[in-house]
Amino acid sequence: MITPFTPLFSLIGGALIGLSAVGLMAMLGRVAGMTGIARGVIPPWTDGEQGWRLAFLVGAIIAPVILLVGGWGPVGFSVPAPLWSLPLSGVLAGIGTTYGNGCPSGHGICGLARLSPRSLAAVVTFMATAAITVFLSRHVFGG
Amino acid sequence: MRTILAALVLGIVFGLGIAISGMIDPAKVINFFDVAGTWDPSLAFVMGGGLAVSLIGYRIVLARGKPLLAVAFSLPEAKAIDLSLLGGSALFGIGWGLSGFCPGGSIPALGIGRIEPFLFVGGMLLGMIIARTLRERSSDRRLGQAFARPNT
């Protein structure tokens, strides 16, 4: 399935993600990694840091609602994978980001901004296995 | 209260960024990796825009000594590039490539009101619980062995 190349919107959206990360560091002193924030709201709650994490998650979820309700443009959305594979994909992502300590937002935007060699290694690794997975599923096994 | 409000606003900014950048759309994410097919290089521009802001912004913010609403910066301290980091990241990449969903993309996608993000996020939370349980067990075992072994 073809998706349009959107350099300007992607650049602006990316800058907003970066702004959110910088803001979270400036205000709360925290890394804006969606993995750590999501994992931090799973009970048992031990560190007393659930309030801001839940607020961040709620904000992230209502953002597309604001765009849709305000009519500020279509939010493109299509999933080129069968429904049954989504929980499996989620489990792999959940286990992987827990052992790997981060995802594209945590390692990619926050870790690389701190010039962390660990984050660079993580980003290179998950980009590589994602590319291999897409190649195999689309061009070798899929149609 | 100010902490909660700040986090809510920053969450909205994050979600707007994900939606506007197109990274809320799994098809767009997958197409970034499909160089041999329907390639869409947009994701590189998202990373570029995000990093340009965070590289400069972090420099300025971290030079200030402490955050506005907390006593200190909480920065990840781990330094080792080990099997856990690389194996975990490799596993995540496979999951990412299968669906096009990542944690940062899927959470805002919940707001679209379709079933697919819920299926992914449900699996992701389950995976996080599984990994956390396995990790705690193995660290308990290692601690146990360390105590059982005589100091030679």
Side-chain angles (χ1 to χ4, degrees):
Chain A
M1 180 191 173
I2 295 168
T3 52
F5 173 43
T6 52
L8 187 62
F9 279 109
S10 289
L11 207 59
I12 294 169
L16 285 174
I17 298 168
L19 191 68
S20 168
V22 172
L24 202 65
M25 187 57 76
M27 307 290 275
L28 277 68
R30 292 292 183 148
V31 168
M34 199 45 105
T35 304
I37 294 176
R39 198 173 54 237
V41 298
I42 301 173
W45 293 356
T46 48
D47 62 357
E49 300 275 337
Q50 283 70 44
W52 72 265
R53 288 196 180 112
L54 277 171
F56 190 88
L57 294 174
V58 168
I61 294 170
I62 61 173
V65 181
I66 295 172
L67 282 181
L68 291 169
V69 171
W72 286 299
V75 178
F77 186 80
S78 57
V79 184
L83 280 184
W84 62 264
S85 71
L86 299 179
L88 170 71
S89 154
V91 167
L92 290 174
I95 295 177
T97 53
T98 301
Y99 278 98
N101 258 322
C103 56
S105 56
H107 280 310
I109 300 290
C110 301
L112 291 185
R114 294 172 51 232
L115 307 177
S116 155
R118 228 174 103 77
S119 289
L120 181 61
V123 171
V124 169
T125 306
F126 59 60
M127 291 291 227
T129 56
I132 293 167
T133 305
V134 170
F135 183 78
L136 290 178
S137 64
R138 286 217 164 158
H139 301 287
V140 179
F141 299 110
Chain B
M1 196 60 225
R2 279 191 303 169
T3 312
I4 303 288
L5 210 63
L8 182 71
V9 171
L10 293 167
I12 292 175
V13 176
F14 185 94
L16 288 177
I18 291 287
I20 291 169
S21 68
M23 295 301 105
I24 202 164
D25 184 0
K28 211 166 163 59
V29 174
I30 293 224
N31 278 345
F32 175 74
F33 295 110
D34 196 9
V35 181
T38 50
W39 191 43
D40 175 357
S42 299
L43 190 148
F45 285 71
V46 182
M47 286 299 293
L51 264 176
V53 173
S54 65
L55 262 169
I56 299 167
Y58 265 28
R59 293 258 118 30
I60 298 168
V61 166
L62 292 173
R64 291 168 51 100
K66 76 185 268 302
L68 292 170
L69 302 176
V71 286
F73 294 115
S74 310
L75 298 171
E77 279 161 12
K79 291 273 184 289
I81 296 175
D82 52 15
L83 185 66
S84 172
L85 179 84
L86 298 179
S89 296
L91 207 60
F92 160 63
I94 295 171
W96 195 23
L98 281 177
S99 67
F101 280 120
C102 65
S106 64
I107 300 277
L110 293 173
I112 289 181
R114 296 236 318 227
I115 183 75
E116 295 94 334
F118 286 90
L119 292 174
F120 176 85
V121 171
M124 180 178 82
L125 294 176
L126 178 67
M128 287 173 169
I129 294 171
I130 292 172
R132 195 166 66 176
T133 312
L134 290 174
R135 253 186 162 179
E136 277 165 11
R137 279 216 193 125
S138 70
S139 72
D140 283 353
R141 208 174 306 136
R142 237 175 281 138
L143 257 177
Q145 283 168 353
F147 279 117
R149 214 175 291 138
N151 268 333
T152 47

